[in-house]
Amino acid sequence: MGVSFDKIDGAAVLKFDIQPAANAVSEADRAAKLRDPGFGRVFTDHMALVRYNQKDGWHGARIESRANFPLDPAAAVLHYAQEIFEGLKAYAREDGGVNLFRPDANARRFRNSADRMAMAPLPEPVFIEAIEQLVRIDRAWIPSGEGSLYLRPFMVASEIFLGVKPSAEYIFAVIASPVGSYFKGGPAPVSIWVSENYTRAAIGGTGAVKCGGNYAASLRAQAEASDHGCDQVVFLDAVERRYIEELGGMNIFFVFEDGSLLTPPLGTILPGITRDSIIALAKDKGTQVREEAYTLDQWRADSASGKLKEAFACGTAAVISPIGQVRSASGDFTINGGGAGPVTMGLRKQLVDIQYGRAPDPHNWIRKVL
């Protein structure tokens, strides 16, 4: 039995009921937590919450104290994994304001993910309003310096039933976590393990969707990478097991001696917002950017010959991380002597400076919340 989501945009604008937390963390305790927040371990005082059912549509929008919300043991998400999420950041500007980076792109991707997972599509204005309201009330949790506030919008199927069909009820929520650098030690070159036994996505699958199942499927390969002393895992295509696709949670780019960039084409991989931004910034400079298939053998040969000068991974959490070493069952190789290259670090600085408001924003990517 299917579920129709017609007319769901009728409530595209919801007024959020703001309910400040009665048990907010003290200023002293918050300062202590912000000294070294790590990544995804510390959380702010509040969360955004909106519910959906077929009778009322999206309703009950509010900002309230971060807390557990009840899920029945038969809730659909627990059995059939109808769940999607997003990730974006809020950045503190030097003038005391706060920037969001391309939240409209996250809202569109969230809606696309919902469509693929047969979930109720959340109106994009509601997605953005929930994030902005949460950032406003938890502004004090944004770390100084190069820290940021990581925002995690997500939606789960909450209808109580045991049966394989799209849920008729959903919970949308946004939580926030102050974060430092994604990788310990900052953007130093990382090592990656090539997964030749496991794949992350296939044609017709959910690789282009930000759903939890994709990441669950990558964890065994990531554990294998850790066992081999690597920071991350990179996956090959599911058909021929030859073509580079993406890392466990990031897209990948290659930099060649002629200055051009290459990144795997979309289709089975996540359309990363950082990936799209890098392509735009590179093209602004007149750099040729190719979205083409690239094999592991080509990567190894081009690294050995010097044709390939740099490689880097990119995503919201890590921004841009240079890749120094590649390890695999078929042999290891090093890129750029294992160091961070000038193109990689130049793009990283340019992107980060835009995010923090330290550089011009030629594409109008920044949305000022405060």
Side-chain angles (χ1 to χ4, degrees):
M1 177 181 176
V3 176
S4 173
F5 298 120
D6 292 344
K7 301 180 180 178
I8 203 164
D9 281 330
V13 179
L14 295 177
K15 180 176 175 58
F16 277 75
D17 180 21
I18 310 298
Q19 302 174 5
N23 58 342
V25 173
S26 70
E27 185 175 347
D29 286 346
R30 184 175 63 241
K33 290 175 182 290
L34 290 179
R35 288 192 192 105
D36 184 19
F39 190 92
R41 297 287 184 180
V42 176
F43 296 93
T44 67
D45 294 308
H46 299 86
M47 66 181 182
L49 195 67
V50 191
R51 293 180 181 271
Y52 173 86
N53 61 43
Q54 288 184 294
K55 176 184 175 183
D56 302 314
W58 290 104
H59 65 282
R62 61 185 185 272
I63 302 294
E64 61 181 31
S65 178
R66 183 182 179 275
N68 297 336
F69 49 75
L71 278 179
D72 189 279
V77 64
L78 301 178
H79 301 271
Y80 308 111
Q82 253 194 313
E83 178 270 351
I84 58 174
F85 67 96
E86 273 296 325
L88 66 160
K89 290 179 178 178
Y91 306 86
R93 298 195 308 273
E94 293 178 355
D95 64 5
V98 178
N99 287 345
L100 292 176
F101 183 72
R102 304 189 68 181
D104 54 328
N106 290 97
R108 287 192 299 273
R109 190 170 65 183
F110 194 76
R111 190 178 179 93
N112 291 338
S113 293
D115 179 69
R116 176 63 181 83
M117 299 297 287
M119 302 174 76
L122 183 76
E124 294 173 19
V126 177
F127 180 98
I128 294 174
E129 183 69 10
I131 289 167
E132 291 190 346
Q133 291 289 357
L134 183 59
V135 169
R136 289 189 184 104
I137 199 168
D138 280 338
R139 164 67 178 86
W141 283 93
I142 303 179
S144 58
E146 291 296 302
S148 57
L149 188 64
Y150 184 80
L151 298 153
R152 171 53 62 87
F154 63 97
M155 180 162 60
V156 299
S158 55
E159 185 181 1
I160 302 168
F161 75 98
L162 295 178
V164 183
K165 73 173 186 68
S167 176
E169 298 178 7
Y170 297 92
I171 298 171
F172 168 73
V174 188
I175 55 177
S177 174
V179 298
S181 175
Y182 187 77
F183 291 110
K184 292 180 180 179
V190 297
S191 58
I192 62 173
W193 173 256
V194 180
S195 179
E196 297 177 271
N197 297 319
Y198 303 100
T199 61
R200 189 177 186 276
I203 296 171
T206 59
V209 173
K210 208 161 177 66
C211 63
N214 291 345
Y215 296 82
S218 74
L219 295 179
R220 184 64 190 88
Q222 179 59 51
E224 188 178 70
S226 297
D227 291 343
H228 286 86
C230 293
D231 301 300
Q232 268 287 344
V233 62
V234 65
F235 290 96
L236 304 177
D237 73 289
V239 178
E240 298 186 44
R241 307 291 181 91
R242 298 173 56 220
Y243 297 101
I244 304 297
E245 290 213 320
E246 62 182 335
L247 276 67
M250 292 180 284
N251 296 118
I252 188 169
F253 279 82
F254 305 94
V255 184
F256 295 91
E257 60 184 351
D258 63 0
S260 67
L261 301 182
L262 183 149
T263 190
L266 298 179
T268 57
I269 66 175
L270 187 73
I273 294 167
T274 305
R275 173 188 182 277
D276 182 70
S277 303
I278 290 167
I279 291 173
L281 292 177
K283 288 183 176 180
D284 287 347
K285 298 178 179 179
T287 300
Q288 179 188 10
V289 182
R290 292 171 285 145
E291 297 181 65
E292 297 177 358
Y294 190 63
T295 69
L296 175 61
D297 288 344
Q298 286 176 299
W299 191 3
R300 181 182 284 108
D302 289 345
S303 297
S305 70
K307 180 179 178 181
L308 180 79
K309 294 300 183 182
E310 305 172 36
F312 61 87
C314 65
T316 297
V319 190
I320 292 177
S321 295
I323 297 172
Q325 187 177 39
V326 181
R327 299 177 184 173
S328 72
S330 55
D332 305 345
F333 58 95
T334 300
I335 303 163
N336 191 37
V343 174
T344 298
M345 300 312 291
L347 282 167
R348 187 182 195 280
K349 183 179 187 306
Q350 185 180 7
L351 184 56
V352 169
D353 283 349
I354 292 173
Q355 291 169 336
Y356 283 93
R358 298 190 294 253
D361 174 24
H363 296 279
N364 296 315
W365 287 333
I366 296 301
R367 186 180 180 101
K368 293 184 178 180
V369 179
L370 295 167

